[in-house]
Amino acid sequence: MRRTHLAALTGLALILAACDQVRLPGLNPVEPELSAEPKGSAAGDAVGGYTEADLQPTPEEIEAERAETTRIAAETAVAAPAPAAPLETPAAGATAMPEDESAPAPAADTAALPPDAALATSLGIVNASRCILPSGAPATPTVAKAAGATELEEPVMGTEAVNALAASLSAFPGIVKIEPRRAEPTGVVASGHCGAVRVARNWFVTAAHCIDEPFDEIRVIGEAANLRSPEAKRASADYAVCHAGYQGTDNGYANDIALVRLSEEQVAGFANVPVARFGATAQALAPANYPVAEMAGWGLTRFDGELSNELLTTRLKILSAGPAAITVTSENGAGPCIGDSGGPLYVTEADGSKTVVGILSVVEQNRTTGHFCEGEYNGRYINLQGYAGWMTSVMALCEDEGAACR
């Protein structure tokens, strides 16, 4: 999370010599809008915000998707008499936006298919896939690679030295930190750093780019604003499911959303992490109704700095809100940075309660200096109003048919 002005980028100058080619988690160069907003999007409904209908494919696209899924399932049933390797790519024929939840399931008889064919069909129904980039897609550098943060370090400066406020957990319901971890051949444990928010008893939503590479463990940390506090609880996620339309840099981080599930045993330690209200707002989600929003996270306190142990928060100005994405801008040089990816964006309702409306996907560089996380810069959050139906469908499928989602 960026809080102060920088004279120059130092620690990562060599790594980011060509920002147009290097994409970091939650970090993108200034470029044309890539929020993949659907054609002919409708305005918010009576209770405010967008619904799943705003993101629906056309009837022709739905029929083509159905036919393609059926064809692939039938071919798999003939060509693969024995179970194949676990599915590790997005479901075939996935569209860039959530599927029509009212559409019937593909006509294929999944009971007669090999296990992996049934898995693909089941995930395809809700336009979801296992969390891994498509074959051949550029890897998404993790914050560990970008900032050398293989393990969380003490910040060089205290929170009083940066342009932000220490945050209270009670002010940001449902927020947690996630750390995807992987043992490297060298023996070093590489760790990613992102935020997430609890949206159901066993479920947390985050950005797909946070977990789009194979990891040994997705660690979830909650219950304390300070990660080094004795009150901080840690658990390992059961599994994660990503939007099948996510392709990383290949489609500008469109559909950058994932759901992380904790088992009953693991989630028991998070009794004091409330389920956040997400999606629909009391009024239509627009700058006129919600001119500012709040974010919180444990990200970098400056671009070439350290990750924060303390939960920090700042206000952001909402520039626009479309069905797929919410665009915000920093306020007084304060805003999100590396390590805040996947973290929630909150708006405050008239009664003082908070609604989670987005999760951080990308951050642009300062248009004047070209630097990241400095001065005036924009960020893009995935709009949870537009993906609420997708989230509900995935959670329902995985609770009913857990084997289909693992």
Side-chain angles (χ1 to χ4, degrees), residues 86-348:
L87 181 72
E88 292 187 339
T89 56
T95 61
M97 290 296 157
E99 291 286 359
D100 183 352
E101 293 175 278
S102 63
D109 180 7
T110 57
L113 299 179
D116 290 326
L119 173 62
T121 303
S122 298
L123 290 176
I125 290 174
V126 292
N127 203 13
S129 70
R130 293 186 178 180
C131 290
I132 191 167
L133 283 170
S135 177
T140 305
T142 65
V143 69
K145 295 176 184 175
T150 53
E151 293 291 344
L152 192 65
E153 300 292 342
E154 292 287 352
V156 175
M157 300 181 297
T159 56
E160 69 280 357
V162 295
N163 187 22
L165 298 173
S168 167
L169 281 180
S170 61
F172 300 98
I175 192 169
V176 297
K177 188 172 190 282
I178 62 170
E179 294 182 358
R181 299 165 68 84
R182 179 178 62 250
E184 301 287 2
T186 60
V188 173
V189 176
S191 178
H193 301 272
C194 282
V197 64
R198 191 176 192 177
V199 291
R201 174 171 173 78
N202 299 84
W203 292 91
F204 298 78
V205 63
T206 188
H209 77 251
C210 292
I211 49 178
D212 64 8
E213 296 181 28
F215 290 100
D216 300 325
E217 175 193 18
I218 300 177
R219 180 175 294 180
V220 182
I221 307 173
E223 295 257 336
N226 189 305
L227 300 176
R228 293 187 179 275
S229 166
E231 285 76 34
K233 303 294 195 310
R234 290 166 171 77
S236 295
D238 197 7
Y239 58 84
V241 177
C242 287
H243 195 286
Y246 168 75
Q247 298 176 35
T249 61
D250 283 355
N251 66 348
Y253 294 102
N255 305 302
D256 188 7
I257 184 171
L259 287 162
V260 177
R261 188 184 189 278
L262 268 63
S263 67
E264 281 294 325
E265 179 182 5
Q266 294 289 343
V267 84
F270 294 109
N272 295 319
V273 178
V275 173
R277 183 177 65 209
F278 71 93
T281 44
Q283 302 181 72
L285 182 60
N289 297 324
Y290 300 93
V292 297
E294 292 176 277
M295 63 151 293
W298 293 271
L300 298 183
T301 57
R302 64 181 188 277
F303 186 63
D304 58 350
E306 299 280 354
L307 292 160
S308 176
N309 286 319
E310 192 75 29
L311 181 65
L312 300 178
T313 179
T314 189
R315 298 200 324 168
L316 302 170
K317 290 179 278 189
I318 295 181
L319 297 180
S320 64
I326 302 167
T327 303
V328 300
T329 190
S330 59
E331 188 170 88
N332 299 320
C337 197
I338 305 174
D340 292 318
S341 296
L345 182 72
Y346 298 83
V347 296
T348 302

